[in-house]
């Protein structure tokens, strides 16, 4: 199967401290990969290094390689701006801009210089539909995105990422700040998205991982302990640490 | 048992202190309230006596253009047309704010977004210094530098609205800048992250998200700057020419509400019309500062990040 992103022997240092100790992990196309592990195990760190959001943190060094469609994203030739257009990100806290819903969704398109009103309208509708918030927002597109509930805001943020049609979407605990109903809507959204996108999701919710992910990767203290088809890992983990974790012995 | 009951029913030392503290605070507030109310009452009553006691029509005051309170015209009407000063005050205020705003935006963005370290080290003290310089010093510099420069570059005497604008520009720039810096700093980090994660460059993030999200803060800062400019007396008085005439261009000598007040206040007798007319100018200044205040509140409420 084709992989969209492949990390090979990837190490990451915050200053002197090594936070990731040689990660080898590939993300198969059109599949959802869940990143699991206890707090502080390096899931967010790893996820952020896939679209170079770690560049924003001073003193981060990375060795090894991360390849996106065969290109090393840390090579000096890589255009970070383009990379981030193709590898989108949804954050733990819903973070819509303090603009209207419409302006939020078209933000990425505007960056690319899209001016055609018809195209913008069409993308807004498409993206909001894909993110399953169209019904709630269609009559309020000109209202501030901040006037919606947390769950709706998060789906607006997902729509905002979808509007630029990336190849891969990184989600860092996208439902942890939300109520169960909103969470399950977002889960449905993700299952829909699988047809067109490749998704990596960090989650602390094992049921969620079991419900939606195709592959799971288990992180512990900066190591990738095990990666497997989700079914396989949940039923029959290879490593003892993984089974301890899945049985709630720590984390 | 008894001891506990005793402790519960008698005021402890801490709660006595609490009561005392509250009493002192209350007295202080009452004194301040009294002072403020008396000031308001005094300005209002004196300011209105031009209209009530001296029977000057309100419309005349705001639309006539001759200011000579100690004289009357052919029909026996007092010559108290404040329009020239009102126009003067508004022109210098608005022009100074318009001129200062782009500079303030550029400086504030540079200091918070582009080069925070250098901004913090070099520009921050400069701005604080500029805020702290007494206005008479600005006026003095204006008189010795700005006025001759204006005269050479644009002609005329050099005294006028343009010079007033330049001096006020320098005076409100640090005010607007430092307030806008605070509002830029309060734009949450996650807006920037969201923007960058969508493939925006740093500059796109600044111009499309950070500045846009901080527009209410910018407006508030501008209104504050305008309030300062509107109320500034000395520095403007020193460079504007102090001719109570309707200015016909930016170079002709003019006057502002404040400059007429400061030049005239010593030469009038309490209770007479010339004195009352000055109080009316003071009343206008008061009402304007109230309006500026309401405006910042309104902006704060409308634009506050929900
Ligand atoms: N900006 C940073 N500077 C220095 N160290 C950091 C930074 N961010 C994370 N770390 C460290 O890196 C390690 C991994 O953190 P990370 O946030 O990736 O964990 P996580 O698996 O996402 O945890 P959680 O489940 O709590 O979100 C931790 O030891 C953390 O202290
Ligand atoms: Mg995390």
């Amino acid at each position: 199967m084709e992989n969209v992103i492949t990390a090979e022997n990837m190490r990451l240092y915050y200053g002197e401290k090594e936070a990731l100790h040689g990660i080898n992990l590939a993300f198969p196309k059109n599949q959802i990969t869940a990143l699991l592990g206890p707090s502080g195990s390096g899931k967010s760190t790893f996820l952020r290094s896939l679209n170079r959001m770690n560049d924003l943190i001073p003193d981060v060094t990375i060795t090894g390689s991360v390849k996106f469609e065969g290109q090393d994203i840390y090579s000096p030739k890589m255009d970070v701006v383009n990379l981030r257009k193709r590898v989108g990100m949804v954050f733990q806290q819903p973070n819509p801009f303090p603009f209207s819903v419409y302006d939020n969704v078209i933000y990425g398109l505007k960056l690319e210089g899209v001016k055609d009103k018809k195209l913008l309208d069409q993308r807004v509708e498409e993206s909001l539909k894909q993110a399953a918030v169209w019904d709630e927002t269609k009559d309020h597109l000109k209202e501030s995105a901040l006037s919606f509930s947390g769950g709706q805001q998060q789906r607006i943020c997902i729509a905002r990422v979808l509007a630029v049609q990336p190849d891969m979407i990184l989600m860092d605990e996208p439902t942890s700040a939300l109520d169960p109903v909103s969470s399950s809507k977002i889960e449905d959204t993700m299952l829909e998205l699988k047809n067109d996108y490749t998704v990596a999701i960090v989650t602390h919710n094992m049921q969620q991982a079991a419900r939606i992910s195709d592959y799971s990767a288990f992180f512990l203290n900066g190591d990738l302990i095990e990666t497997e088809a989700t079914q396989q890992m949940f039923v029959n983990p290879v490593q003892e640490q993984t089974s301890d974790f899945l049985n709630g012995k720590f984390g | 048992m008894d001891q506990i009951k005793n402790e519960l029913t008698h005021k402890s030392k801490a709660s006595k202190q609490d009561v005392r503290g509250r009493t002192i605070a209350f007295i202080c507030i009452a004194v301040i309230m009294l002072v403020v109310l008396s000031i308001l009452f005094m300005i209002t009553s004196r300011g209105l006596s031009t209209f009530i006691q001296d029977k000057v029509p309100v419309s005349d005051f705001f639309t006539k253009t001759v200011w000579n309170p100690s004289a009357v015209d052919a029909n026996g009407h007092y010559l108290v047309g404040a329009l020239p000063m009102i126009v003067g005050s508004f022109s210098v205020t608005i022009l100074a704010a318009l001129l200062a705003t782009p500079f303030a935006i550029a400086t504030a963005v540079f200091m918070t977004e582009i080069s925070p370290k250098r901004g913090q080290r070099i520009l921050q003290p400069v701005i604080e210094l500029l805020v702290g310089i007494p206005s008479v010093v600005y006026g003095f510099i204006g008189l010795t530098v700005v006025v001759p420069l204006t005269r050479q570059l644009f002609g005329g005497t050099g005294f006028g609205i343009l010079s007033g604008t330049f001096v006020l520009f320098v005076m409100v720039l640090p005010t607007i800048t430092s307030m806008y810096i605070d509002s830029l700093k309060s734009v949450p980090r996650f807006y920037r992250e969201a923007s960058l994660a969508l493939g925006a460059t740093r500059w796109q993030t600044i111009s499309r998200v950070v500045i846009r999200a901080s527009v209410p803060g910018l407006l508030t800062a501008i209104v504050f700057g305008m309030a300062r400019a509107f109320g500034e007396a000395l520095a403007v008085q020193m460079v504007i020419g102090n001719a109570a005439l309707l200015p016909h261009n930016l170079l002709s000598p003019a006057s502002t509400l404040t400059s007429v007040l400061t030049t005239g206040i010593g030469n009038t007798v309490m209770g007479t019309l010339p004195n009352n007319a000055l109080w009316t100018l003071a009343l206008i200044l008061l009402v304007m500062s109230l309006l500026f205040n309401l405006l910042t509140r309104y902006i704060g409420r409308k634009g506050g990040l929900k």
Side-chain angles (χ1 to χ4, degrees):
Chain A
M1 191 177 302
E2 192 188 341
N3 293 325
V4 179
I5 290 187
T6 314
E8 270 166 23
N9 194 23
M10 200 274 262
R11 288 168 192 274
L12 184 145
Y13 305 80
Y14 288 116
E16 300 284 295
K17 201 185 105 197
E18 188 175 293
L20 294 174
H21 318 299
I23 306 291
N24 293 290
L25 182 59
F27 294 88
K29 197 175 165 72
N30 293 349
Q31 305 284 318
I32 299 179
T33 305
L35 308 183
L36 308 173
S39 201
S41 54
K43 308 177 296 291
S44 299
T45 300
F46 179 67
L47 198 74
R48 281 200 306 266
S49 60
L50 301 180
N51 68 344
R52 290 189 56 173
M53 285 303 279
N54 281 329
D55 289 13
L56 306 184
I57 303 170
D59 257 359
V60 169
T61 14
I62 288 169
T63 64
S65 85
V66 180
K67 291 208 167 101
F68 170 63
E69 305 205 321
Q71 301 283 322
D72 185 352
I73 67 169
Y74 285 96
S75 97
K77 270 181 289 181
M78 191 71 203
D79 182 30
V80 184
V81 163
N82 274 328
L83 171 71
R84 291 188 186 140
K85 279 180 184 147
R86 308 202 41 199
V87 184
M89 186 163 218
V90 176
F91 296 78
Q92 179 170 3
Q93 286 295 330
N95 58 356
F97 301 123
F99 313 155
S100 68
V101 176
Y102 189 90
D103 284 0
N104 263 283
V105 180
I106 63 170
Y107 184 79
L109 295 169
K110 278 276 169 121
L111 292 177
E112 288 168 20
V114 179
K115 292 220 174 63
D116 181 2
K117 181 90 174 69
K118 247 170 89 197
L119 179 63
L120 291 174
D121 287 350
Q122 181 196 332
R123 282 285 188 87
V124 167
E125 180 171 345
E126 259 171 36
S127 314
L128 288 169
K129 274 183 177 159
Q130 273 184 304
V133 270
W134 175 246
D135 290 337
E136 290 123 295
T137 54
K138 65 170 183 268
D139 297 322
H140 311 279
L141 291 176
K142 295 288 169 207
E143 273 166 44
S144 168
L146 300 182
S147 64
F148 289 84
S149 76
Q152 291 166 336
Q153 289 186 19
Q154 189 65 303
R155 279 175 283 145
I156 291 170
C157 292
I158 294 175
R160 183 173 67 183
V161 171
L162 297 179
V164 291
Q165 301 179 324
D167 300 299
M168 170 128 192
I169 302 174
L170 312 173
M171 300 185 167
D172 194 349
E173 302 185 40
T175 63
S176 68
L178 307 180
D179 63 282
V181 177
S182 306
S183 303
S184 92
K185 282 194 176 161
I186 288 180
E187 285 180 17
D188 295 344
T189 309
M190 281 189 276
L191 290 173
E192 284 287 318
L193 294 180
K194 225 170 78 167
N195 302 324
D196 304 309
Y197 301 91
T198 307
V199 178
I201 175 174
V202 173
T203 178
H204 278 280
N205 182 333
M206 294 308 132
Q207 286 81 28
Q208 183 173 63
R211 276 193 300 266
I212 61 172
S213 71
D214 303 291
Y215 293 88
S216 288
F218 173 55
F219 283 74
L220 184 63
N221 299 329
D223 284 307
L224 177 59
I225 302 294
E226 179 169 351
T227 163
E228 208 91 57
T230 299
Q231 293 278 327
Q232 180 77 23
M233 186 190 280
F234 275 62
V235 177
N236 200 357
V238 176
Q239 302 291 332
E240 197 181 333
Q241 288 156 313
T242 314
S243 83
D244 285 353
F245 176 72
L246 292 174
N247 293 323
K249 290 211 180 127
F250 58 85
Chain B
M1 232 7 233
D2 269 359
Q3 205 199 338
I4 293 177
K5 196 175 162 199
N6 215 15
E7 272 180 18
L8 284 174
T9 49
H10 279 76
K11 282 204 163 117
S12 70
K13 200 167 156 228
S15 75
K16 273 187 202 147
Q17 268 180 349
D18 191 48
V19 169
R20 204 175 330 137
R22 237 184 307 168
T23 314
I24 293 174
F26 184 77
I27 293 172
C28 291
I29 292 170
V31 170
I32 294 170
M33 286 292 284
L34 195 71
V35 172
V36 170
L37 284 178
S38 341
I39 292 175
L40 288 181
F41 177 75
M42 180 160 181
I43 297 179
T44 316
S45 63
R46 300 256 167 181
L48 290 179
S49 55
T50 307
F51 308 119
I52 296 164
Q53 189 185 314
D54 301 309
K55 307 257 179 332
V56 174
V58 177
S59 57
D60 278 12
F61 194 89
F62 287 99
T63 55
K64 289 270 159 71
T65 56
V66 182
W67 180 261
N68 191 0
S70 50
V72 288
D73 68 7
N75 303 328
H77 293 308
Y78 292 109
L79 293 169
V80 281
L83 189 63
M85 288 86 90
I86 294 172
V87 170
S89 274
F90 275 98
S91 339
V92 286
T93 302
I94 291 168
L95 288 174
L98 282 181
L99 194 61
T101 301
F103 288 90
I105 295 177
T107 317
V109 165
F110 180 83
M111 284 179 61
T112 54
E113 306 293 323
I114 296 168
S115 183
K117 283 215 188 87
R118 243 182 307 168
Q120 220 58 5
R121 230 185 29 244
I122 305 167
L123 282 171
Q124 189 75 33
V126 169
I127 286 177
E128 276 158 20
L129 192 75
L130 285 176
V131 174
I133 294 177
S135 56
V136 66
V137 176
Y138 281 110
F140 198 45
I141 296 172
L143 194 60
T144 43
V145 180
V146 177
V147 170
L149 214 62
T150 313
R151 179 164 48 222
Q152 282 198 346
L153 291 177
F154 305 101
T157 60
F159 292 96
I161 295 209
L162 195 62
S163 296
T165 301
F166 285 141
V167 170
L168 282 178
F169 156 71
V170 181
M171 293 180 71
V172 299
L173 183 60
T175 311
I176 301 181
T177 308
S178 61
M179 281 193 68
Y180 187 42
I181 285 173
D182 291 341
S183 113
L184 282 177
K185 279 187 183 156
S186 71
V187 173
R189 202 187 132 81
F190 54 74
Y191 288 160
R192 292 162 227 243
E193 285 178 352
S195 168
L196 293 168
L198 283 161
T201 61
R202 201 155 72 122
W203 176 244
Q204 285 172 325
T205 301
I206 293 171
S207 61
R208 293 170 189 232
V209 176
V210 179
I211 293 185
R212 187 166 162 193
S214 64
V215 164
L218 178 64
L219 291 179
T220 310
I222 293 172
V223 173
F224 259 85
M226 287 174 68
R228 179 163 192 217
F230 204 85
E232 175 51 43
L234 262 175
V236 180
Q237 185 212 323
M238 289 165 82
V239 299
I240 200 162
N242 299 310
L245 304 167
L246 203 58
H248 41 269
N249 60 40
L250 295 182
L251 297 168
S252 61
S255 60
T256 62
L257 295 165
T258 48
S259 72
V260 169
L261 257 176
T262 45
T263 43
I265 206 87
N267 314 324
T268 59
V269 181
M270 267 295 206
T272 62
L273 173 84
N275 188 267
N276 288 343
L278 293 182
W279 281 105
T280 311
L281 299 185
L283 181 62
I284 298 176
L285 287 170
L286 180 78
V287 170
M288 280 310 295
S289 85
L290 206 71
L291 284 182
F292 283 129
N293 220 303
L294 289 177
L295 199 59
T296 53
R297 270 158 200 268
Y298 175 76
I299 295 168
R301 197 147 25 95
K302 278 279 285 200
L305 302 178
K306 277 151 270 169

